[in-house]
Amino acid sequence: MSTTTGTTTAEAVDASATSLLRFATAGSVDDGKSTLVGRLLHDSKSVLADQLEAVEAASARRGQDTPDLALLTDGLRAEREQGITIDVAYRYFATPRRRFILADTPGHVQYTRNMVTGASTADLTVILVDARNGVVEQTRRHAAVAALLRVPHVVLAVNKMDLAGHRESVFAGIAEEFTSYAASLGIPDITAIPISALNGDNVVEPSAHMDWYGGPTVLEHLESVPVGMDEAGAPPRFPVQYVIRPQSAEHPDYRGYAGQIASGVLRVGDPVTVLPSGLTSTISGIDALGDAVDEARAPQSVTVLLADDLDISRGDLIAPTAAAPATTQDVEATVCHLHERALKAGDRVLLKHATRTVKAIVKALPYKIDLTHDLAHLDAPEELGVNDIGTVVLRTSEPLPLDPYAVSRRTGSFLLVDPADGTTLTAGMAGEAFARPAGEASAAEDGWDF
């Protein structure tokens, strides 16, 4: 029995000093996603001895002679019994060069919503393809979801190369077809790697069977790829989570606004605008972990002090006056519907954006994407069902400072929530806010009653 032990802290350098990469895996059923993740964890020595023993015992009960590394991520009992991935499995590990949060997502079409959940915060997505089957419908679907979610880096892992004779021509053909399709979707960075997750070829260690390949292994690429979503370089956005007013003898006039910087850099002296009110002031101070600092950047949690005594509460957004987002009550967005209860025009929902929640009405469903036939647009659907991806037009009861999702994944995203029981219904990605045409009535005047 193997005695592999966890070494993410004992043998690695201080992980807190390394960068963090969030990545997700996706692919068709039986392409080997969970096996790849298990191999990655095992060969990078990120598996504890008791975890490996449990996997070996479970594999033995299923009549397998060697440990099934997929069981390291297939954590649900139903997953282990059926041999498939159902839910998103999150795993955390580190190497001397980087820390990782990975999301192993299901491959079945009925779990599209789970892939959206796992990839929504990812800097990179690994899409697996069986070398024997090549690019299939589900491969294209996963590439489309990655493009929709603006995942900046995609790795095509051509798996089971051992069953394709380790032939370079097989890999080259698949890589060319996928790269062409992914590029047409607007994915900016695509890397193809031939692997055998079962045998460990090109996962952590280079393969001795594919000497024609001179690129990085999967782990080497994960360790070196630039972290795509550099929130510190985006326009500054600071959603207010809590107003701090101690009203103590030591701090009689203290009024701070606490929260996490969603993007960009805040500096003392910056002129800012508070949205949606439009009030303006200047940053007079920034407190980070109890210390006054001159600047702070995403994703730090800080307390911001302003030069003026303004009426600010939870849900307001502080942004630089020169680069403040427009506010709107009319929202057009691409959404993935997550709940078994369908979404229909006329539905009244709550829209949760950053720290703000407002009432909203679904005005229209312009189209949904046909996930079974080349991602064609189906105009004016009656509803969006679970796992459906489409567009919605919403009217909100109050103005919202929404960024386009293409500009910021943090402040361009939102959730639609059932007002009756708080159930999350839909994940949304805002498009450009569009102004109401001249002469069109306001929300209170055109029959949309909140």
Side-chain angles (χ1 to χ4, degrees):
M1 181 177 294
S2 174
T3 58
T4 303
T5 59
T7 59
T8 58
T9 57
E11 296 181 3
V13 298
D14 183 7
S16 65
T18 61
S19 60
L20 172 67
L21 178 74
R22 299 175 182 269
F23 72 100
T25 61
S28 300
V29 178
D30 294 330
D31 277 355
K33 299 176 302 300
S34 297
T35 301
L36 170 63
V37 173
R39 174 63 65 184
L40 194 61
L41 295 172
H42 179 274
D43 288 7
S44 65
K45 299 186 174 20
S46 300
V47 181
L48 299 175
D50 57 345
Q51 293 175 318
L52 189 58
E53 289 173 1
V55 167
E56 290 172 337
S59 301
R61 288 194 296 271
R62 295 169 59 175
Q64 295 174 295
D65 296 330
T66 58
D68 183 355
L69 298 180
L71 298 181
L72 289 170
T73 55
D74 287 341
L76 299 179
R77 176 176 295 180
E79 293 176 332
R80 295 191 179 206
E81 290 174 349
Q82 298 178 47
I84 63 172
T85 300
I86 295 175
D87 201 1
V88 181
Y90 291 95
R91 292 295 181 269
Y92 310 85
F93 69 103
T95 69
R97 299 184 62 182
R98 180 167 275 175
R99 292 173 295 135
F100 301 95
I101 299 176
L102 67 90
D104 183 29
T105 67
H108 295 67
V109 64
Q110 62 265 38
Y111 300 124
T112 299
R113 59 180 175 176
N114 302 72
M115 184 199 169
V116 170
T117 300
S120 61
T121 59
D123 301 297
L124 180 148
T125 295
V126 179
I127 298 179
L128 273 82
V129 170
D130 188 323
R132 299 168 299 175
N133 302 328
V135 176
V136 296
E137 178 182 297
Q138 189 74 328
T139 309
R140 292 190 291 271
R141 180 179 296 115
H142 288 151
V145 171
L148 176 69
L149 294 171
R150 306 283 176 172
V151 179
H153 304 284
V154 169
V155 170
L156 173 68
V158 181
N159 193 24
K160 304 186 181 182
M161 286 296 296
D162 52 313
L163 301 181
H166 301 108
R167 296 194 304 274
E168 181 179 6
S169 59
V170 173
F171 168 72
I174 295 172
E176 182 179 359
E177 180 181 356
F178 179 85
T179 300
S180 176
Y181 178 75
S184 71
L185 296 173
I187 296 174
D189 180 59
I190 306 160
T191 301
I193 303 175
I195 68 169
S196 170
L198 183 64
N199 299 325
D201 292 323
N202 286 335
V203 178
V204 172
E205 300 295 335
S207 171
H209 304 101
M210 292 178 278
D211 54 5
W212 44 263
Y213 173 73
T217 66
V218 172
L219 183 60
E220 287 172 347
H221 185 69
L222 295 177
E223 287 182 324
S224 60
V225 67
V227 176
M229 287 304 297
D230 183 10
E231 294 291 357
R237 300 288 185 261
F238 183 70
V240 176
Q241 184 172 357
Y242 187 71
V243 179
I244 300 176
R245 293 196 66 189
Q247 296 180 322
S248 62
E250 184 180 358
H251 303 285
D253 300 319
Y254 188 95
R255 182 195 291 263
Y257 308 102
Q260 184 184 49
I261 303 175
S263 61
V265 180
L266 297 178
R267 296 180 176 87
V268 173
D270 283 351
V272 294
T273 297
V274 181
L275 299 169
S277 67
L279 299 172
T280 59
S281 185
T282 301
I283 297 178
S284 61
I286 301 174
D287 291 341
L289 298 177
D291 296 324
V293 296
D294 292 329
E295 69 175 42
R297 62 188 60 236
Q300 284 182 274
S301 294
V302 298
T303 300
V304 173
L305 290 78
L306 300 182
D308 301 282
D309 189 4
L310 304 180
D311 183 10
I312 300 175
S313 59
R314 173 183 170 85
D316 288 345
L317 182 76
I318 297 175
T321 300
T327 60
T328 184
Q329 288 180 259
D330 297 294
V331 179
E332 186 173 24
T334 302
V335 300
C336 177
H337 191 61
L338 309 174
H339 200 267
E340 284 75 11
R341 195 198 88 188
L343 187 72
K344 301 178 181 180
D347 283 354
R348 283 163 169 76
V349 295
L350 297 178
L351 189 154
K352 186 179 186 305
H353 172 248
T355 58
R356 189 178 191 84
T357 301
V358 301
K359 296 178 181 178
I361 295 176
V362 180
K363 291 183 62 177
L365 303 174
Y367 68 85
K368 73 175 180 180
I369 297 173
D370 187 349
L371 294 177
T372 60
H373 295 94
D374 293 329
L375 307 173
H377 288 186
L378 304 177
D379 293 335
E382 293 185 0
E383 63 185 31
L384 293 181
V386 62
N387 293 309
D388 278 347
I389 295 175
T391 58
V392 300
V393 177
L394 302 162
R395 174 68 61 83
T396 62
S397 60
E398 304 171 28
L400 284 177
L402 271 170
D403 283 303
Y405 188 78
V407 173
S408 173
R409 294 168 80 187
R410 288 286 304 277
T411 53
S413 60
F414 60 85
L415 296 174
L416 298 183
V417 178
D418 189 330
D421 58 14
T423 300
T424 298
L425 302 174
T426 310
M429 293 145 280
E432 295 283 352
F434 56 98
R436 188 165 39 249
E440 184 179 327
S442 68
E445 297 169 340
D446 66 359
W448 297 99
D449 182 13
F450 292 97

